[in-house]
Amino acid sequence: MTPVPKSPAYLNPAMVPGSLDTSLQRIILHLDMDSFYASVEMQKRPELRGRPVVIGADPKQGSGRGVVCTCSYEARAFGVHSALPISRAFALCPHAVFLRPDFALYSSVSESVMEILRSFGFRLQQVSIDEAFLDISSLGGYARAEDLALEIKSKILSRLGITCSIGIGPGKAVAKIASDFKKPDGLTIVLPEHLEAFLGPLPVRKIPGIGEKSERELSVLGIKTIEDLMRADPRILVSRFGRGAVSLLNSVRGIDEREVCENTGARSLSRETTFESDTDDILVIGETFGKLAEAVSRTLSEEHLRCRTVTVKVRDQGFITRTKGRTLSHYTTDPAAISACARMLFQEIYDGGKIRLLGIRLSSIDKPDACQMTLF
Ligand code: TTP
Ligand code: MG
């Protein structure tokens, strides 16, 4: 296969790559695979290329009850996306190819991606199954950074047959936002002097760590874009959002000194299940937490990891989803401890109605001796 990397999206197309000597700046690269699970499936079965492909629960001709893990960009054109109920995906795009996820396969392709990235010799931090940061400051300039990005893209495409998007900038937050800027198969380079012009017009939701809830709260204050956020009174933000607001503001202003931590496997890890019929049977709920805890704990053990934070996700009959997390006093891999914590958290948020979906997510994951990673 001949890789044909696309040309990078510069903020200012007239800017000649590398015309600025930024050797004193940190240069961070963020890579995120495109429609990862779907791309792996399409690589395995080339006849699926160009077709809408949805990975997730069985749609059962529209009566299926799980959710979409991800889908190809062809399916996204019909409005399908991650976490959408599979029945809705079927309604939007009944002619799509619906596949059950093959986690072992995705895990092994993820390892190959990380191996390729590691082969370039830079400090690497894997943050999820399909994304990683590299600290490429030692390259000394953005022209070399661009060459490296093109080489990474072409190596991944020629060896694994799938594409990725890369963002490069002076900090982790901006690199992550940049990798998402032009997907699929994108390359976006944000020079330090263009940081404000790049980030300013973007909606605040693009900032990693800002979810639907924070977006709503910011919107109440009249803050919709990152530029609005940069202009807001930091005292008001801190009084509403606590100390986290300071690092958030700093990171969008380019003051983002969070290191790329070498931690071969650290990330969050989750499993969830949708019941065949909604239930309020406490025994079934307890058993389900047991099974979910077994599954996540097995992955922890296989990858020689441990975790400290357990979060439960509970979706009720009316599709209202609640989550609650707790950080334990010690790291653990023990399924009984994870399941006990999950059941306790469940009791705290359960209002007695019927439940549609339960999930467990583990975070604060590390390998003993590896440094901790969090994005915000
Ligand atoms: P993402 O990188 O968020 O999504 P993606 O790679 O499928 O698509 P994009 O091109 O927008 O990056 O997540 C990586 C994989 O994680 C995704 O392929 C499937 C899985 N995943 C879920 O199972 N459920 C989810 O809700 C999300 C967001 C991802
Ligand atoms: Mg991805």
Side-chain angles (χ1 to χ4, degrees):
M1 190 178 318
T2 318
V4 192
K6 285 189 188 164
S7 56
Y10 284 96
L11 276 175
N12 173 359
M15 181 81 201
V16 180
S19 61
L20 178 87
D21 179 11
T22 50
S23 54
L24 295 176
Q25 302 268 356
R26 279 194 333 144
I27 307 177
I28 307 297
L29 180 151
H30 180 259
L31 173 143
D32 188 296
M33 302 306 295
D34 301 321
S35 55
F36 184 52
Y37 294 1
S39 301
V40 172
E41 295 291 351
M42 291 192 287
Q43 163 61 11
K44 196 172 105 189
R45 296 157 59 178
E47 70 275 13
L48 296 181
R49 279 187 193 281
R51 295 190 58 183
V53 174
V54 179
I55 313 298
D58 186 346
K60 299 189 176 165
Q61 295 299 308
S63 63
R65 294 176 46 87
V67 292
V68 172
C69 293
T70 192
C71 60
S72 65
Y73 278 77
E74 290 80 0
R76 292 181 197 199
F78 293 87
V80 182
H81 58 79
S82 293
L84 191 72
I86 201 76
S87 54
R88 182 84 192 110
F90 189 82
L92 289 168
C93 194
H95 59 289
V97 178
F98 288 86
L99 300 172
R100 302 304 82 70
D102 179 350
F103 296 114
L105 173 64
Y106 313 144
S107 229
S108 106
V109 176
S110 167
E111 271 170 34
S112 305
V113 170
M114 298 304 152
E115 213 169 279
I116 291 173
L117 285 179
R118 219 166 269 122
S119 72
F120 290 91
F122 297 97
R123 189 151 22 101
L124 176 145
Q125 178 181 352
Q126 181 179 356
V127 277
S128 79
I129 190 162
D130 83 329
E131 59 178 315
F133 288 103
L134 289 181
D135 185 333
I136 56 169
S137 311
S138 60
L139 286 177
Y142 280 80
R144 287 193 182 151
E146 179 187 350
D147 291 343
L148 172 74
L150 291 172
E151 199 180 335
I152 290 173
K153 283 166 75 70
S154 109
K155 231 179 206 172
I156 291 178
L157 184 58
S158 62
R159 295 208 184 148
L160 305 175
I162 50 180
T163 61
C164 64
S165 296
I166 290 181
I168 297 176
K172 288 170 86 174
V174 66
K176 186 170 165 72
I177 294 170
S179 72
D180 186 53
F181 187 67
K182 194 166 173 270
K183 259 184 169 286
D185 200 16
L187 170 54
T188 301
I189 299 174
V190 183
L191 301 175
E193 67 271 34
H194 289 155
L195 198 63
E196 249 185 84
F198 172 70
L199 294 174
L202 300 177
V204 285
R205 188 63 191 275
K206 291 284 175 189
I207 302 173
I210 299 247
E212 222 174 287
K213 191 170 156 224
S214 311
E215 185 186 30
R216 264 199 314 273
E217 287 175 18
L218 286 167
S219 170
V220 170
L221 299 173
I223 300 170
K224 297 214 157 72
T225 64
I226 297 183
E227 186 177 3
D228 298 336
L229 186 65
M230 287 186 215
R231 291 196 174 154
D233 183 342
R235 283 166 304 186
I236 294 179
L237 292 175
V238 170
S239 72
R240 285 211 58 144
F241 299 98
R243 286 166 50 85
V246 178
S247 59
L248 198 71
L249 273 176
N250 282 342
S251 69
V252 293
R253 287 191 174 122
I255 309 163
D256 182 4
E257 283 164 0
R258 289 164 309 131
E259 291 287 340
V260 172
C261 301
E262 188 77 44
N263 58 354
T264 48
R267 54 168 198 255
S268 75
L269 215 168
S270 58
R271 280 284 182 282
E272 57 185 43
T273 188
T274 303
F275 293 112
E276 278 303 318
S277 55
D278 299 339
T279 185
D280 55 4
D281 184 332
I282 232 54
L283 282 178
V284 172
I285 290 169
E287 242 170 53
T288 305
F289 276 128
K291 282 185 192 151
L292 291 168
E294 288 281 349
V296 283
S297 132
R298 198 174 317 118
T299 308
L300 276 183
S301 307
E302 279 165 10
E303 300 188 20
H304 309 290
L305 300 170
R306 54 185 192 166
C307 79
R308 254 188 92 185
T309 305
V310 178
T311 302
V312 293
K313 175 171 169 184
V314 181
R315 178 171 297 155
D316 68 17
Q317 249 179 336
F319 273 88
I320 305 290
T321 305
R322 294 188 185 83
T323 60
K324 183 155 185 146
R326 176 148 308 146
T327 299
L328 307 168
S329 53
H330 301 289
Y331 280 96
T332 187
T333 55
D334 179 13
I338 294 168
S339 167
C341 182
R343 283 197 304 259
M344 204 157 64
L345 289 165
F346 173 79
Q347 295 292 349
E348 291 172 26
I349 53 173
Y350 183 46
D351 60 7
K354 288 206 172 186
I355 302 296
R356 179 181 176 89
L357 172 150
L358 286 180
I360 292 183
R361 177 167 168 270
L362 304 181
S363 53
S364 312
I365 292 176
D366 83 345
K367 272 196 174 173
D369 295 327
C371 63
Q372 193 75 18
M373 83 75 203
T374 52
L375 213 67
F376 277 101

